[in-house]
Amino acid sequence: MDNFTERRLASNYRTLLFRRNASDQEIFGFECMDGWSDLIEGSLQLIQRYVGLASDVKITQVKEKFGLLRIYQRGGEEKVCQVLDICELVSSCVCELCGKSGNLTMSDGWILARCDKHGDSSHMELVESQSADERYIGSYVRSVDSILSFFGADAVRWVQQESIALGGKRPCEILGTEDGCQAVYKLLKRLEHGVGV
């Protein structure tokens, strides 16, 4: 991950990423590409919202593994685990290099989460660093928060199921875009008010 993005995340979520007496010079060491930075930020925002600043939750590692974004934590309750599970599922549909819609692909024995442009491991051109997409992050946080509130313990299962109301797609397939997040949010609001799909 690029230094600017890493420093921004470390600064904004210091209480989740570092022990209390950590020096300002310590770095966290995100072990993934920049394409997932907005997804990481949305997930950390939700966790911070759920546990507050006086938290015993610590994020111990953030990395790519088998083409998915894995965020490991110590402490916390079921809701924190659900946020991280949903994030992992959504990462399979987001290009790890540029953050655009993508899917899992196999290249030279490696599982990669890539868009069409960055589809194979030989296409590793530098992707220009971008600032955080606050609109997407806000939509993602709102949508995942609604999913967790509406479905409770079944939230992760629901995110993996095809939905006729979402054009036959699974929610995790469309939560990687702002429009997808808005579609999921609108669907949940309709369900909340008893409007049939």
Side-chain angles (χ1 to χ4, degrees):
M1 184 173 282
D2 121 338
N3 286 339
F4 174 76
T5 305
E6 191 162 324
R7 281 195 309 270
R8 179 178 51 77
L9 289 171
S11 172
N12 291 345
Y13 303 98
R14 190 156 193 75
T15 57
L16 289 175
L17 301 173
F18 299 100
R19 64 187 191 288
R20 274 199 185 101
N21 57 352
S23 87
D24 290 341
Q25 304 306 313
E26 283 190 51
I27 59 170
F28 183 75
F30 292 87
E31 302 171 50
C32 61
M33 303 300 251
D34 288 355
W36 286 333
S37 62
D38 290 341
L39 192 53
I40 294 168
E41 181 149 12
S43 299
L44 293 178
Q45 234 179 71
L46 270 169
I47 292 169
Q48 201 163 51
R49 176 185 293 179
Y50 294 145
V51 300
L53 295 175
S55 161
D56 66 338
V57 174
K58 288 293 174 240
I59 303 300
T60 58
Q61 192 174 32
V62 177
K63 68 180 188 174
E64 177 277 332
K65 185 174 182 181
F66 300 119
L68 300 173
L69 174 60
R70 307 288 174 99
I71 302 177
Y72 299 99
Q73 105 281 358
R74 189 176 60 247
E77 54 191 45
E78 182 182 358
K79 223 172 199 178
V80 171
C81 294
Q82 290 176 309
V83 168
L84 299 179
D85 289 344
I86 291 171
C87 176
E88 182 178 320
L89 291 165
V90 173
S91 73
S92 71
C93 302
V94 174
C95 179
E96 61 187 311
L97 295 177
C98 68
K100 300 219 182 315
S101 291
N103 17 177
L104 291 178
T105 184
M106 183 78 94
S107 180
D108 298 327
W110 294 97
I111 301 172
L112 309 167
R114 299 290 171 85
C115 63
D116 291 338
K117 180 179 177 183
H118 300 109
D120 62 57
S121 60
S122 64
H123 197 95
M124 287 284 291
E125 71 185 34
L126 287 178
V127 177
E128 204 172 294
S129 182
Q130 299 174 354
S131 57
D133 182 347
E134 296 298 332
R135 288 178 54 163
Y136 167 72
I137 294 167
S139 290
Y140 179 80
V141 167
R142 183 175 71 165
S143 298
V144 174
D145 187 41
S146 294
I147 291 167
L148 294 171
S149 296
F150 192 84
F151 291 102
D154 292 325
V156 176
R157 187 172 352 152
W158 182 79
V159 167
Q160 298 176 74
Q161 295 176 345
E162 288 181 3
S163 171
I164 294 170
L166 297 173
K169 295 194 178 246
R170 299 174 300 146
C172 64
E173 293 177 85
I174 65 172
L175 283 169
T177 67
E178 183 183 351
D179 289 343
C181 289
Q182 290 175 2
V184 168
Y185 183 75
K186 285 177 188 172
L187 171 60
L188 292 176
K189 284 298 168 194
R190 289 175 65 194
L191 292 173
E192 226 173 64
H193 291 93
V195 177
V197 180

